[in-house]
């Protein structure tokens, strides 16, 4: 699978893309490509944004700049990029990311468009298949939302995580009926008088399974 992220701040992804599970995905043949809108702007002075028509605060990322960046990355008309992949605008106005949407987005190549300032010119709707938000609050830009989306989607790729059981049993997966995962404990068995439930130390696997299932139900 190929992931493309369009941003004015590619360096914001340096730490994230160096993480072990991303490198593991790359080793499996997946690709992560960052494109800086500014590197492809058709405007002079590396301009990428402009004042909003109708007035108001802030600046808006220009649609001609977004098109030029898409065309530079894919070598086809910007409107055609969505013909063979999901193209997502990250915006607080979008569909909220959840486990189901992450699974959907893992189904093929993916483009993430990050906005800054007041966002991207509304005509970006001609270029995208989806508008995605990571929650009911406003961030200063799409980069953190793009990383959250990449992270949730990358975990869905077959073989991307060394212990696949740890994905199936994760919180919010349909296998858990959308419920939260059971609680985890590790050593020490007792700390400041706070004890690990006895059953988990019993070595009785059937009892442990029952206890965990019960915890999931309670949550
Ligand atoms: Cl995707 N972008 C911004 N700017 N703010 C957000 C968001 C996205 N999702 C939640 N808040």
């Amino acid at each position: 699978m190929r992931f493309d992220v369009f941003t004015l701040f590619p360096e914001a992804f340096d730490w994230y893309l160096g993480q072990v599970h991303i490198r593991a995905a790359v080793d499996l043949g997946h690709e992560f490509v960052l494109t800086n809108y500014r590197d492809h702007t058709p405007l002079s002075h590396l301009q990428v944004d402009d004042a909003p028509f109708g007035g108001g605060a802030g600046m808006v990322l220009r649609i001609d700049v977004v098109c030029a960046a898409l065309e530079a990355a894919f070598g086809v008309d910007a409107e055609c990029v969505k013909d063979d992949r999901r193209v997502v605008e990250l915006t607080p106005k979008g569909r909220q990311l959840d486990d189901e949407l992450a699974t959907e987005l893992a189904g093929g190549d993916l483009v993430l468009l990050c906005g800054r300032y007041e966002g991207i010119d509304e005509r970006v709707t001609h270029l995208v298949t989806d508008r995605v938000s990571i929650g009911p609050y406003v961030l200063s830009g799409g980069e953190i939302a793009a990383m959250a989306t990449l992270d949730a989607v990358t975990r869905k790729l077959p073989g991307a995580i060394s212990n696949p059981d740890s994905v199936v049993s994760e919180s919010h997966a349909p296998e858990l009926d959308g419920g939260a995962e059971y609680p985890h404990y590790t050593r020490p068995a007792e700390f400041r008088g706070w004890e690990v439930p006895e059953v988990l130390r019993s070595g009785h696997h059937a009892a442990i399974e029952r206890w965990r299932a019960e915890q999931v139900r309670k949550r």
Side-chain angles (χ1 to χ4, degrees), residues 89-93 115 132-142 145-146:
E89 179 199 4
L90 292 156
T91 163
K93 291 174 275 189
V132 170
S133 154
I134 61 164
Y137 40 78
V138 178
L139 303 169
S140 326

Side-chain angles (χ1 to χ4, degrees), residues 73-93:
F74 295 106
V76 297
D77 185 273
E79 291 175 62
C80 298
V81 175
K82 66 180 185 306
D83 292 350
D84 57 359
R85 67 199 72 214
R86 301 278 281 260
V87 179
V88 171
E89 179 199 4
L90 292 156
T91 163
K93 291 174 275 189

Side-chain angles (χ1 to χ4, degrees), residues 9-63:
F9 301 98
E11 65 282 359
F13 293 83
D14 287 351
W15 169 82
Y16 178 67
L17 293 179
Q19 295 304 293
V20 64
H21 64 288
I22 300 295
R23 286 191 278 122
V26 170
D27 290 343
L28 286 168
H30 302 293
E31 226 186 322
F32 295 82
V33 181
L34 290 169
T35 300
N36 189 339
Y37 297 111
R38 210 178 290 279
D39 291 342
H40 304 287
T41 179
L43 308 173
S44 53
H45 313 294
L46 302 180
Q47 185 189 350
V48 291
D49 58 346
D50 223 319
F53 277 118
M59 299 289 271
V60 178
L61 190 55
R62 287 176 56 131
I63 194 65

Side-chain angles (χ1 to χ4, degrees), residues 105-218:
L105 296 178
D109 290 347
L110 183 61
V111 175
L112 301 176
L113 303 178
C114 301
R116 271 272 154 175
Y117 319 117
E118 295 307 300
I120 306 178
D121 185 296
E122 185 68 16
R123 290 167 286 179
V124 72
T125 48
H126 295 289
L127 309 176
V128 303
T129 55
D130 302 81
R131 305 177 97 186
V132 170
S133 154
I134 61 164
Y137 40 78
V138 178
L139 303 169
S140 326
E143 286 74 17
I144 290 171
M147 280 182 254
T149 305
L150 284 176
D151 204 72
V153 172
T154 306
R155 298 177 66 83
K156 302 291 183 188
L157 301 176
I161 287 182
S162 51
N163 172 13
D165 283 351
S166 74
V167 176
V168 172
S169 64
E170 270 176 337
S171 305
H172 309 298
E175 290 78 0
L176 293 174
D177 278 337
E181 204 178 352
Y182 54 75
H184 300 282
Y185 296 89
T186 188
R187 285 181 284 274
E190 185 267 315
F191 179 71
R192 296 191 175 192
W194 306 329
E195 292 208 9
V196 173
E198 186 62 44
V199 61
L200 298 180
R201 294 182 277 154
S202 67
H204 190 316
H205 295 293
I208 291 169
E209 286 305 302
R210 275 198 302 278
W211 181 86
R212 286 178 169 167
E214 179 61 24
Q215 298 302 308
V216 171
R217 265 197 303 280
K218 280 190 192 159

